[in-house]
Amino acid sequence: MADEQKLYSIWVYLQAEPLFWLTLTIGAYLVGDYCYRRSGLFPLFNPVALGIIIVSSVLLLFDIQYERYFDGAKFIHFLLGPATVALAIPIYRKWDLILKHSKAIVTTVLLGSCFAILITWGLATLFGLEREILLSLLPRSVTAPIAMGVSEIIGGIPSLTAIITIITGIIGAAFATFTLDLLRVRKMSARGFAIGLASHGIGTARAMSRNETAGVFAAVAMGLSGIVTALIVPLMIFLLQI
Amino acid sequence: MLQSVFVIFLFQLVGEMVQKYFALTVPGPVIGLVLLLLAMLATDRIGNNPAAQLKQSLVVTAETLLGHLPLLFVPIGVGVVMHITLLEGQLAAVLGVIFIGTVLTVGFSALLMEKLQGRGDDNG
């Protein structure tokens, strides 16, 4: 009994400290990465998705508030900012290649961003979603801060857009490789660019961890499509009379 | 190592300040990315490149930081799972839109990009 109480008091102590949540987050990700490799790179077993599922299961099982977890995990979350800035370095290293393909980059980002918005609008209409949810879905392909800003301007629900955006990123990261293999797209620059355009930072993270050229083109696509989408979503709503 | 970490943090800080000052929708770190890229391209044009050593150290730091980039999305992803009830009865339809839309966008963009690039190697 005394031992049990001791264990309980240790648990109470650990819960309040960042160390436990940081260890859990990194551990869950490593387990995800291990399963992904062992499964022969099976798309549903990607490290981010598995990491998220493992951590969420622990929180739900022990009835822990997300805010308490995030209070510790925010130190990992914080690194997203510096990591985004650090993307400048691989982009700088591949700068000549980017200049070489600048025409293809500009055209693809314009048409691809329009495609992403229109297909989302079409599918949401087809599935009969409510207007507010449809509006929250429209900017889903771009990085969450931009998507939330756009969502607010057009009358969507920013917090819903944030969730939708993250899900888009995870689905992009999980299924892009499979889709691109199926379509026999071989060029790493084109593969990466499509992933970054359709699934922003999470897709870019994924591309970067597989191939530097793909990662660099994903980062360029993420940045440019973010800016293009912020400009054209309000315009499209006006033109389509949504 | 420490110098390059300082440079990265500094550019993020400047990016965040620019974003707040001009009330831009583009996030601060993305502005920091653009500024750091411009700074590195600009110093290339100066003779005998004074920042060569710093750039070398930035390359190493960036490799470390970007090596496990997907890990950094786990905390926010857990937030999505914990708040998924916001979608209520529309969850299946929303997931359907996201899944089909994302796969089609990836396919469309990749095929278009590859076609526009024409032949040739991209050393990747």
Side-chain angles (χ1 to χ4, degrees), chain A residues 7-232:
Chain A
L7 275 177
Y8 181 74
S9 67
I10 292 174
W11 168 238
V12 168
Y13 165 75
L14 282 177
Q15 270 190 67
E17 292 293 315
L19 179 66
F20 182 76
W21 304 119
L22 290 171
T23 312
L24 175 68
T25 307
I26 297 175
Y29 178 80
L30 287 175
V31 170
D33 200 41
Y34 177 79
C35 293
Y36 178 64
R37 282 170 208 283
R38 285 305 297 264
S39 73
L41 313 184
F42 182 64
L44 270 177
F45 277 11
N46 83 87
V48 200
L50 282 177
I52 291 167
I53 291 168
I54 294 168
V55 174
S56 306
S57 309
V58 171
L59 298 191
L60 291 171
L61 199 65
F62 294 97
D63 198 21
I64 288 156
Q65 292 281 310
Y66 176 65
E67 287 67 25
R68 169 163 280 185
Y69 162 74
F70 193 78
D71 208 41
K74 70 184 173 198
F75 298 102
I76 290 174
H77 178 74
F78 164 78
L79 288 173
L80 266 181
T84 305
V85 177
L87 285 171
I89 292 134
I91 293 178
Y92 164 77
R93 286 173 24 142
K94 300 269 179 187
W95 189 243
D96 290 339
L97 190 62
I98 291 166
L99 285 184
K100 189 179 135 198
H101 292 304
S102 54
K103 267 189 192 164
I105 286 175
V106 172
T107 314
T108 308
V109 85
L110 287 173
L111 294 179
S113 299
C114 288
F115 182 89
I117 300 162
L118 286 174
I119 196 82
T120 303
W121 173 69
L123 289 166
T125 310
L126 188 72
F127 290 177
L129 287 170
E130 286 166 22
R131 183 187 148 81
E132 231 179 6
I133 294 183
L134 184 148
L135 291 173
S136 306
L137 272 162
L138 287 184
R140 66 178 179 81
S141 299
V142 300
T143 187
I146 297 184
M148 289 168 76
V150 173
S151 174
E152 193 169 10
I153 292 169
I154 62 176
I157 309 161
S159 57
L160 191 60
T161 301
I163 291 178
I164 289 167
T165 303
I166 306 293
I167 299 175
T168 299
I170 293 168
I171 289 181
F175 293 98
T177 305
F178 178 72
T179 310
L180 294 167
D181 286 345
L182 202 70
L183 293 171
R184 296 190 183 159
V185 177
R186 293 213 174 79
K187 276 192 174 154
M188 280 302 163
S189 51
R191 291 173 70 100
F193 200 81
I195 298 173
L197 191 150
S199 53
H200 56 92
I202 306 180
T204 300
R206 163 80 171 173
M208 192 61 94
S209 68
R210 300 283 301 267
N211 178 285
E212 201 193 16
T213 301
V216 163
F217 276 80
V220 171
M222 172 181 85
L224 293 177
S225 71
I227 295 163
V228 169
T229 301
L231 298 174
I232 60 176

Side-chain angles (χ1 to χ4, degrees), chain B residues 4-44:
Chain B
S4 50
V5 170
F6 172 73
V7 167
I8 291 170
F9 278 28
L10 184 68
F11 274 86
Q12 187 185 348
L13 191 63
V14 173
E16 304 275 11
M17 281 158 67
V18 169
Q19 190 261 332
K20 290 270 182 298
Y21 188 80
F22 295 102
L24 304 170
T25 43
V26 180
V30 174
I31 299 171
L33 184 170
V34 173
L35 294 176
L36 178 58
L37 177 63
L38 291 177
M40 290 204 292
L41 291 171
T43 50
D44 271 356

